Amino acid sequence: MNKTILIIEDEEEILYTLRDFLEIEGYQVLTALNGFEAIQLLEKSVMPNLILLDMKMPIMNGWEFAAAFLAKYDHQCPIVITTAAGDAAQRAKDINANDWISKPFDLDTLLEKIKQNEL
Ligand SMILES: [Mg+2]
């Protein structure tokens, strides 16, 4: 069975580029435009093998999503954050994420990061 990745990202161009790329790589991809959408999606879908999480988003940002996810599901699924911040490592630590990748990133680096962390 194909592995499932949930991408949470408010910039649609990035979101759909990543989705298309990962589908070509054989993943099943779920998408959400903010943390709130993602929480709702998780209530009616299988637990993904990895969550790719943007930090700055409207409605429910990456910090809020991570807190809500961990409170409800604990570490059932690894979270990798995508952020342009210079302090990406610290941000990942702050929200208890498994790993991080700095924006902008190339798709091969992303794929490598996913493979290192996915269940
Ligand atoms: Mg954003």
Side-chain angles (χ1 to χ4, degrees):
M1 211 181 97
N2 291 0
K3 294 198 172 185
T4 302
I5 308 285
L6 167 58
I7 309 171
I8 311 172
E9 165 66 62
D10 67 321
E11 284 178 51
E12 294 192 32
E13 205 183 314
I14 297 175
L15 179 63
Y16 298 126
T17 300
L18 296 180
R19 178 195 61 190
D20 292 351
F21 171 71
L22 291 175
E23 282 180 352
I24 289 166
E25 291 296 329
Y27 288 96
Q28 191 150 338
V29 180
L30 303 171
T31 59
L33 287 163
N34 59 68
F36 183 66
E37 252 189 52
I39 291 287
Q40 286 186 315
L41 188 66
L42 284 165
E43 281 169 12
K44 52 183 173 125
S45 74
V46 293
M47 186 56 66
N49 296 86
L50 183 136
I51 295 172
L52 211 54
L53 177 65
D54 183 29
M55 297 305 291
K56 290 184 185 163
M57 295 179 289
I59 305 167
M60 182 190 266
N61 66 31
W63 289 268
E64 294 162 335
F65 170 81
F69 180 87
L70 292 171
K72 191 164 184 189
Y73 302 106
D74 201 7
H75 289 281
Q76 280 186 51
C77 169
I79 297 176
V80 174
I81 66 165
T82 63
T83 177
D87 57 350
Q90 186 59 44
R91 283 195 171 170
K93 216 171 160 189
D94 289 347
I95 66 156
N96 248 312
N98 296 68
D99 208 343
W100 51 272
I101 183 164
S102 294
K103 283 178 174 170
F105 49 80
D106 62 69
L107 295 173
D108 288 337
T109 308
L110 173 71
L111 191 59
E112 206 171 293
K113 211 46 128 172
I114 289 173
K115 293 203 181 295
Q116 282 167 9
N117 288 283
E118 69 188 5
L119 294 177

